[in-house]
Amino acid sequence: MTTSTTAPTAPGSAATARSSVRGSRPVTLIAMCLGAMITFLQITATVSALTTIQRDLRVDPTTLIWIPSAYTLVVASVVLSASTLGNRYGRRRMFGAGVIAMIVGGAVVASAPTVAWVIAGQLVAGLGGALILPNSLAILGATFADPHRRTEVITAWAAASGIGLAIGPLIAGALLRHFSWHSVFLSTIVLGVATLVIAAVGVAESRPSAARLDVPGLLLGTVAIAAAVYGMIQGGRDGYTSPAMTAAWVVSVVALVGFVLVELRASAPMLDVRLFRSASFSAVMVVAAVSLFGFTGVAILLVLFHERAQALSPLDTGWRMLVLFGAYVLVAFGAGRAIRRAGFKAPLTLGLVLGAVASFALAAQGPTASFGHRWPLFALFGAAGGLVVAPATAAALASVAPAQAGMASGAVNAARQLGSVLGSSLLGTLLTTTMLADLPDRLAAHQVDEPIRSAVQAVATTGATGDQPLPDPVRAALAEALTSGVQAGLRVNGIVFLVTAVLALALVRNRPHQH
């Protein structure tokens, strides 16, 4: 059974008792929300700085995709194992280790002289994100044992992730206006140090079990997820059926089968796969994955649209994206009380339907559409995300006993991160392929001469224009082609959201399960 700041302490666990006395619920909530904020700030700050990094370090497009993807790869691969490490060695300890890894990763990127060092720093930061996410969520689940109160604080935790997504472009844009791209990653260091101090002051240790570590499950689970995520990311460049990608899929499937067999026989499994016998729990995992598939994927599509189709600065882009993320945060904060009255099913279904409506409506707008016509749809999509992302996380923890909070938090975070990878990689790949397929017709429509077209194709592939400004016809053709790619991604997201809405309506349990 997990300990909390108010839970009685079993005999013989004096160390835990002393830790519980030091714990403060408000301070714990603040520290855990800051941790979640850092992990998501890293995503949008990196995306906002990509164009500048590419131009400064002369990065080729195949390598460029690994700058944001290296972080996501490690988070998705290790997040499930990280919850097990927290259960074994202490959740606060692993949370602190994760914050330190984020600080170190940010420092490596901030001082990186080459793209190899940038990617290395992102890998280290990804390890930090993987340790922070499940353990912060499990600490909240242990600290706030009442199901309704726990739902409210988890929605606040999820809202904090939206704040991180929102301030990422703003911080990046403001710093890029005055300093080099290296400065963007200093924000991780500053917030990380503040989080460490707050956690040291008022967060109690939470260690539900000192059972033997499930090493086979940990290794097989990590390999299964890592191989699948690598295939998703690199497959967009090399082809999903290329020999290397086929090998990655085979490794992932074999490791997954081995993982399930090992966990079914383990006395203390890393993930009790029997939880998936519950149709509601399984449906919540799908909803959690789809929520980040759309929220992360659409956010990246819109950032690229503003910076490359409408030629806006990162700071101007950040102010526009603030409408989306601000609506997300406001609705996510209120979602906890809404769930208490209406249950999980209504907000999840409504959010997915509204997200689909906003996606289809945004897909109908062209490259010259003014922000005055677009901002209500940004707000609608952000509000839809607030109705889905936060309640999906809360629904996962509400469907298990408190002693399984760490296990459920690891599972839901793994699902969320897999969805995030799918959103950024698949929608990003769809954008690129649609753009390149549409570009020749756009160039012809703008009467661009044939000798220039090969050079334009190179510009489209790299996303860098160099020091020379592009002719207006070429710029207009590129903007229209990129917009067609963004529209294709938005339509796919709308379809995925609608299908998942039906699943949520049919299968998700409406109220927290009473254990």
Side-chain angles (χ1 to χ4, degrees):
M1 185 75 170
T2 53
T3 60
S4 71
T5 53
T6 58
T9 306
S13 52
T16 303
R18 286 193 296 271
S19 178
S20 297
V21 170
R22 291 192 298 109
S24 165
R25 286 188 173 188
V27 174
T28 298
L29 179 59
I30 292 171
M32 298 306 105
C33 286
L34 280 176
M37 186 188 304
I38 297 171
T39 62
F40 283 89
L41 180 149
Q42 185 80 7
I43 296 172
T44 49
T46 301
V47 171
S48 298
L50 273 184
T51 301
T52 307
I53 294 173
Q54 182 180 26
R55 183 172 60 247
D56 185 38
L57 298 181
R58 301 184 183 277
V59 184
D60 65 88
T62 303
T63 305
L64 184 71
I65 192 65
W66 279 104
I67 293 177
S69 296
Y71 175 80
T72 311
L73 171 66
V74 178
V75 173
S77 303
V78 184
V79 70
L80 188 59
S81 303
S83 67
T84 302
L85 294 174
N87 292 343
R88 177 65 178 83
Y89 298 110
R91 291 163 175 167
R92 188 183 70 166
R93 182 178 298 172
M94 290 298 101
F95 174 84
V99 175
I100 292 173
M102 289 291 298
I103 294 172
V104 172
V108 171
V109 179
S111 59
T114 65
V115 67
W117 280 102
V118 173
I119 294 175
Q122 289 285 81
L123 291 171
V124 176
L127 178 61
L131 288 168
I132 289 171
L133 286 169
N135 288 298
S136 62
L137 193 54
I139 288 171
L140 290 178
T143 304
F144 299 88
D146 177 72
H148 294 297
R149 180 59 177 154
R150 183 169 54 169
T151 296
E152 292 175 358
V153 299
I154 290 171
T155 55
W157 175 91
S161 67
I163 296 175
L165 289 169
I167 65 176
L170 291 175
I171 291 175
L175 291 173
L176 287 171
R177 177 165 288 188
H178 302 288
F179 307 101
S180 73
W181 60 264
H182 299 83
S183 64
V184 171
F185 299 91
L186 295 177
S187 56
T188 299
I189 300 174
V190 174
L191 282 174
V193 171
T195 303
L196 277 180
V197 172
I198 294 172
V201 169
V203 177
E205 183 58 279
S206 171
R207 184 186 300 176
S209 171
R212 186 177 61 184
L213 195 64
D214 179 17
V215 176
L218 188 150
L219 293 176
L220 287 169
T222 301
V223 169
I225 297 174
V229 172
Y230 175 80
M232 294 174 197
I233 296 171
Q234 194 64 22
R237 303 295 169 181
D238 297 345
Y240 290 104
T241 58
S242 65
M245 295 306 100
T246 301
W249 304 131
V250 171
V251 169
S252 178
V253 171
V254 171
L256 179 61
V257 172
F259 173 79
V260 172
L261 294 176
V262 166
E263 297 306 279
L264 284 173
R265 298 175 181 177
S267 58
M270 181 175 79
L271 174 64
D272 188 352
V273 294
R274 296 174 183 85
L275 290 174
F276 290 93
R277 291 176 178 173
S278 165
S280 178
F281 184 81
S282 299
V284 168
M285 292 300 104
V286 174
V287 172
V290 168
S291 68
L292 264 290
F293 172 92
F295 201 72
T296 303
V298 169
I300 291 175
L301 289 178
L302 295 177
V303 167
L304 292 174
F305 170 80
H306 285 128
E307 291 189 359
R308 297 193 175 180
Q310 295 197 329
L312 297 177
S313 69
L315 183 58
D316 290 335
T317 298
W319 284 117
R320 284 161 174 75
M321 296 300 294
L322 189 60
V323 174
L324 188 155
F325 295 129
Y328 166 84
V329 171
L330 291 175
V331 174
F333 269 122
R337 295 188 181 277
I339 292 170
R340 191 164 188 168
R341 294 192 179 107
F344 293 110
K345 193 184 294 284
L348 290 176
T349 305
L350 178 62
L352 289 164
V353 171
L354 293 178
V357 170
S359 297
F360 288 131
L362 285 169
Q365 297 188 345
T368 59
S370 68
F371 188 65
H373 291 93
R374 296 172 65 86
W375 76 262
L377 297 177
F378 278 45
L380 180 61
F381 189 81
L387 286 171
V388 178
V389 177
T393 305
L397 267 69
S399 62
V400 302
Q404 296 173 307
M407 188 181 296
S409 69
V412 73
N413 273 300
R416 283 157 55 95
Q417 293 306 316
L418 284 173
S420 179
V421 172
L422 280 169
S424 58
S425 60
L426 295 186
L427 295 184
T429 300
L430 182 60
L431 182 154
T432 302
T433 55
T434 304
M435 173 184 173
L436 293 177
D438 193 55
L439 185 57
D441 291 339
R442 301 290 182 179
L443 290 169
H446 285 276
Q447 300 178 342
V448 176
D449 294 335
E450 182 61 35
I452 302 177
R453 294 187 186 180
S454 59
V456 173
Q457 289 280 36
V459 170
T461 303
T462 61
T465 62
D467 298 327
Q468 298 299 322
L470 292 172
D472 288 341
V474 173
R475 187 181 298 278
L478 283 169
E480 291 172 3
L482 187 140
T483 301
S484 67
V486 171
Q487 291 170 335
L490 289 169
R491 292 189 193 100
V492 168
N493 183 72
I495 294 170
V496 171
F497 267 41
L498 284 179
V499 172
T500 310
V502 176
L503 184 71
L505 183 63
L507 298 179
V508 171
R509 181 185 291 124
N510 198 42
R511 296 287 178 182
H513 186 63
Q514 298 297 325
H515 298 278

